[in-house]
Each structure stands twice: as structure tokens, then as C-alpha cells.
Amino acid sequence: MSQVTSGSPLKQSPSMPATSSATQSPTIVSSVTPSPQAPGQTASSDSAKLETTVQPSVIWVTVFDSKGNLLRTESGFFISAEGRFVTTARAIEGGVNAVAKTGDGGIHNVTGILAASKESDLAILQADVKKVPFLELNKKGNLAAGTGVVVVGSALAENDGHARQMTIGAQNTGRLEIAGTLPPSSLGSPVLNETGQVVGVVTSAGEKTIARPAASLESLLSRVAVGTQARWQATAATPKPTPKPRMVYAPAPAFPPGVSQSGVSGTGRFHLTFDANGNVTNVQLVRSTGNPYFDQAAIKTFRQWKSAPSQGWSVTVPVTFQTR
């Protein structure tokens, strides 16, 4: 299989010379006709060539939660040279960060989500990369039952990533039923026609293989307006601001008995520490009033002070004893 496409990952096969027009429009040189084989089996020959040209565009998506824990991994594939890619909506559910890994060892940060649909179980995201090989979407839409297709997974899925020849069992509105089984790692993989164009995206694997047609993906793409910034729908939990400490009970220290003679005065400073419940846990003398009775009276009163609940705090309080 060979194809010449502007920006496409499909390269000319050395054994099959291709021609291209001056406008670089897609030119189909040869097609891949699936050979008779049991559905879901790894194919060879023509489909192996298809695998070689397509797989650089197929990625391994790793999604993390707000604490940095791994949520899930799934396949996906680039649909633009600027790093737009497709995977399932379930793959990114609850995620706040992700990386896209390519088969050649490249790791690209995922800046966010451009569009997602739970109904179709498709999501379009943006990777932080300047130029990558990508796959083109087939816009014709209709696939008759019995049409041969090829599913190509990520090279990082090892044997599960090999090209698999399959057959369309039935097509309903927004749904492709594919005869044969696929491993769970195939979720998010592209379903391709014989020219390497995307005709669907695998959204259910195992005993029953279901894919969303390219038309559903085109519909989701139409929601992405020019200039849309990728962002994560779920964000890391932002801690609530700590409430500003507030005193709720702060009586002034009284003159100790027998020391309130005329002309007696003193000024000092005391450091108070409060616990989370607002109770004073420590009173430290920073500067004495010059009178031990004043100091003791102040400390005794400060131990009764109360603040509103907080994360614990401290304050330095000036106090002056003075007779009129």
C-alpha cells in the first residue's frame, strides 16, 4: 500500500513508485485487499505494510489523576500535524494530566481537552508537539456489511498493537459493529480502510467489538472553534483559603490587687500561640512591663483568650498598665 498525502504519515513504498500532483492532493497508488482470514487475526503482507505506515501516528495515552496517580492507559492516534489526537472519552474521565507516547520512544505532554462526548465516547485532545505524522479521516461514511477493515494499535502494546484484519458486521446510526474480538488495549485505536484512512474509532473491545464511525468524530471536531484553548475539565483540588484568625474573647488584663496606686504604670509585650480550636497553648513574655505583678496578671488573662477555629496561629500583643 502506498499513498502520497500532504502532512500524512503514509510514505511511498520502495517497491511501488507513486506519483503526486503539484497540489499534493492524496493520490492512491495501490490498495490493500484483505486476504481471506479469520476476523481479528493478525494479518501479514499488505496489512503489514499498512501497519508500518500507520503505526507512527498511533499513540499510547497515559492519564493521571490530581494526585499524580495513574488512572488508565489507552490507545489513540494523531489527526493533525500540530498534535491533535483522538482517544475515548472514558480514557480521560477524572484525569487532570496525561502524556502521549509514540512507538519510537517520544513522550509528549497533553495540554488538555479540546472536545469530548460521553454519548459517542470520543475525545479530542491536544499534545504539546510541533509536528507529528497523522491520519486522515474518511468522509464518505457508509460502510456496507462485509467490508474489510484493519485495526492498528500502538507499537507500545507489543503483540496487541499489530494490524488485525476484520470485517464490518453491521452499521447503525453512530455505531459500527465489527466481526471479531480485540484486546482491551485496542480501545481508542483507529479502524482503517484499505487506503489507510480512518473510518472509525474502537470504543468497545473484548467479546464484542464496537467502533464509532468517522462521521461521529467529524461531528465532534466541528465543535472545536478556531482558537479554542485545550484545557482539562477536571482540575486538581484547590485548597480553600485559610480563614483569617479572628479573636472571639479577649478581655484586657486588669490591675493586680494592691498595685493600682496612683502613678504606677508599665508596658510590655507578650507572644500568644493558639491551637486549631482557638485555645491559647502558650504565653511567652517578650518584653517585661517592669513589674512582676503586672506580668503575672497579663499572663493569667491571656491564657483565657479565645480565637475562632483556624489552622493554628500566633500573635504578639502589647499591654500597658497605667493609673489615671
Side-chain angles (χ1 to χ4, degrees):
M1 182 286 285
S2 298
Q3 184 183 36
V4 179
T5 306
S6 177
S8 169
L10 303 181
K11 301 178 181 179
Q12 294 184 15
S13 169
S15 60
M16 294 185 179
T19 58
S20 59
S21 65
T23 59
Q24 294 295 308
S25 59
T27 303
I28 308 304
V29 179
S30 62
S31 63
V32 176
T33 304
S35 57
Q37 194 168 1
Q41 289 187 357
T42 301
S44 57
S45 187
D46 291 339
S47 59
K49 295 178 183 178
L50 185 63
E51 175 186 324
T52 300
T53 56
V54 167
Q55 212 166 52
S57 304
V58 183
I59 56 178
W60 195 241
V61 185
T62 307
V63 184
F64 304 92
D65 65 14
S66 59
K67 296 181 180 180
N69 298 319
L70 174 65
L71 282 178
R72 58 191 69 88
T73 56
E74 205 165 280
S75 294
F77 56 94
F78 288 117
I79 56 172
S80 80
E82 294 76 26
R84 285 188 180 183
F85 69 89
V86 177
T87 189
T88 70
R90 281 177 293 175
I92 61 172
E93 188 173 356
V96 300
N97 189 24
V99 293
K101 302 178 182 180
T102 55
D104 60 2
I107 300 178
H108 308 292
N109 183 51
V110 178
T111 57
I113 305 166
L114 291 167
S117 169
K118 289 186 176 181
E119 292 75 19
S120 62
D121 194 16
L122 294 175
I124 302 170
L125 295 91
Q126 179 68 51
D128 186 11
V129 61
K130 293 182 179 179
K131 187 176 182 180
V132 289
F134 63 97
L135 302 180
E136 295 182 346
L137 305 184
N138 181 278
K139 300 180 181 181
K140 294 182 179 179
N142 294 326
L143 293 173
T147 301
V149 292
V150 178
V151 176
V152 178
S154 166
L156 299 179
E158 298 181 347
N159 290 336
D160 289 347
H162 288 317
R164 295 171 183 266
Q165 290 182 341
M166 307 187 80
T167 304
I168 298 296
Q171 177 175 359
N172 301 313
T173 303
R175 176 187 173 102
L176 291 175
E177 295 182 10
I178 301 177
T181 60
L182 288 173
S185 61
S186 297
L187 290 172
S189 295
V191 181
L192 308 160
N193 63 13
E194 71 277 4
T195 64
Q197 292 182 323
V198 177
V199 296
V201 184
V202 177
T203 56
S204 178
E207 295 183 359
K208 193 172 186 179
T209 300
I210 302 296
R212 294 295 179 181
S216 297
L217 184 53
E218 284 280 3
S219 176
L220 189 59
L221 270 170
S222 67
R223 302 183 195 177
V224 184
V226 176
T228 298
Q229 295 295 316
R231 64 181 181 86
W232 288 99
Q233 295 173 345
T235 57
T238 303
K240 295 181 179 179
T242 303
K244 187 176 181 180
R246 177 175 57 88
M247 298 302 303
V248 296
Y249 181 66
F255 268 89
V259 190
S260 58
Q261 293 91 349
S262 177
V264 177
S265 65
T267 298
R269 294 172 67 84
F270 300 82
H271 189 76
L272 281 61
T273 303
F274 296 84
D275 63 16
N277 295 320
N279 300 313
V280 174
T281 59
N282 185 49
V283 179
Q284 181 181 1
L285 177 63
V286 177
R287 187 179 70 190
S288 174
T289 62
N291 187 314
Y293 296 103
F294 289 164
D295 293 345
Q296 292 173 12
I299 291 173
K300 182 179 179 180
T301 302
F302 287 145
R303 290 192 181 280
Q304 303 173 37
W305 280 25
K306 299 280 186 182
S307 77
S310 66
Q311 292 186 349
W313 64 293
S314 61
V315 63
T316 299
V317 180
V319 65
T320 297
F321 291 86
Q322 185 176 7
T323 57
R324 297 180 180 178

